[in-house]
Amino acid sequence: MDREDPNPRMPYQLAMPSEAATDVVIPSVLPEDDRIWVPQADNIWFRPLCLSASQGYWVNLLKVTRSGVLTRHRHTNPVHGYVLKGRWHYLEHDWEAVEGGYVYEPPGETHTLIVPEDVSEMITLFQVNGLMLYVDPWGKTLGFEDVFTKIDMCRKHYTDCGLGADYVDQFIR
Ligand code: FE
């Protein structure tokens, strides 16, 4: 800082930019209401935190129970992960992501997430940018997910479980 701030504890006095979005504040990322977990596949759920429709990424908790498998997929953009609970690894790598650990996945990665049999529940916070392409072992595309398919899954689940279709809106920016 070049110049001394004479009022270091004085709040900013001007309005935020009129085009700026509002904050997302979630007091407890691990929800008390289990209906907030959106089912994704056998033994796999996600819990939305920030669904950035404007920037094309999503931040969510991924929960996998009973040695579930997140099927093989390729990333077009980087992923950041922070393990809150349990452990997991990729079939394609020899390292293990452990509780309290951080992982970075570069664009171009294709991998298959496995939770070991002695872990009853794994929860990891992931920021996923761009596209996840589900592929066969030779890279042939089988399907995809992006922030818009995540929003659609949330809206359908929250409608079905009684939280309401607009419950997801609080996470969308
Ligand atoms: Fe991945």
Side-chain angles (χ1 to χ4, degrees):
M1 199 162 51
D2 288 342
R3 278 182 284 179
E4 199 66 16
D5 184 342
N7 302 300
R9 288 169 185 268
M10 187 175 182
Y12 182 58
Q13 294 296 296
L14 304 180
M16 302 299 165
S18 55
E19 292 79 13
T22 52
D23 301 334
V24 177
V25 180
I26 299 170
S28 174
V29 295
L30 297 173
E32 290 187 2
D33 186 343
D34 266 344
R35 294 178 302 171
I36 293 170
W37 289 103
V38 179
Q40 178 169 315
D42 283 349
N43 299 326
I44 301 183
W45 294 261
F46 73 95
R47 185 260 202 263
L49 294 169
C50 181
L51 301 166
S52 180
S54 58
Q55 297 284 315
Y57 70 84
W58 67 100
V59 182
N60 67 178
L61 300 186
L62 182 75
K63 178 165 78 172
V64 182
T65 62
R66 272 179 247 147
S67 57
V69 177
L70 181 60
T71 52
R72 192 183 319 97
H73 58 274
R74 177 181 177 122
H75 290 281
T76 60
N77 291 78
V79 176
H80 303 272
Y82 170 61
V83 184
L84 281 83
K85 187 177 179 190
R87 339 188 296 278
W88 52 268
H89 66 278
Y90 289 125
L91 291 181
E92 294 78 5
H93 294 296
D94 57 9
W95 49 263
E96 187 175 55
V98 296
E99 195 167 302
Y102 163 81
V103 297
Y104 167 75
E105 307 173 4
E109 270 261 321
T110 302
H111 49 219
T112 314
L113 191 155
I114 302 281
V115 176
E117 268 173 34
D118 62 332
V119 174
S120 59
E121 185 177 85
M122 173 291 263
I123 298 176
T124 296
L125 187 153
F126 280 113
Q127 185 205 348
V128 185
N129 298 278
L131 201 60
M132 280 173 69
L133 282 171
Y134 291 97
V135 295
D136 76 7
W138 297 276
K140 189 173 187 297
T141 301
L142 304 174
F144 74 95
E145 279 186 8
D146 62 12
V147 65
F148 302 106
T149 64
K150 298 311 256 192
I151 290 170
D152 288 346
M153 289 168 78
C154 290
R155 216 178 279 292
K156 181 178 185 315
H157 169 69
Y158 293 146
T159 301
D160 294 347
C161 75
L163 286 170
D166 57 359
Y167 189 81
V168 68
D169 292 343
Q170 62 189 298
F171 308 117
I172 300 175
R173 289 296 183 275

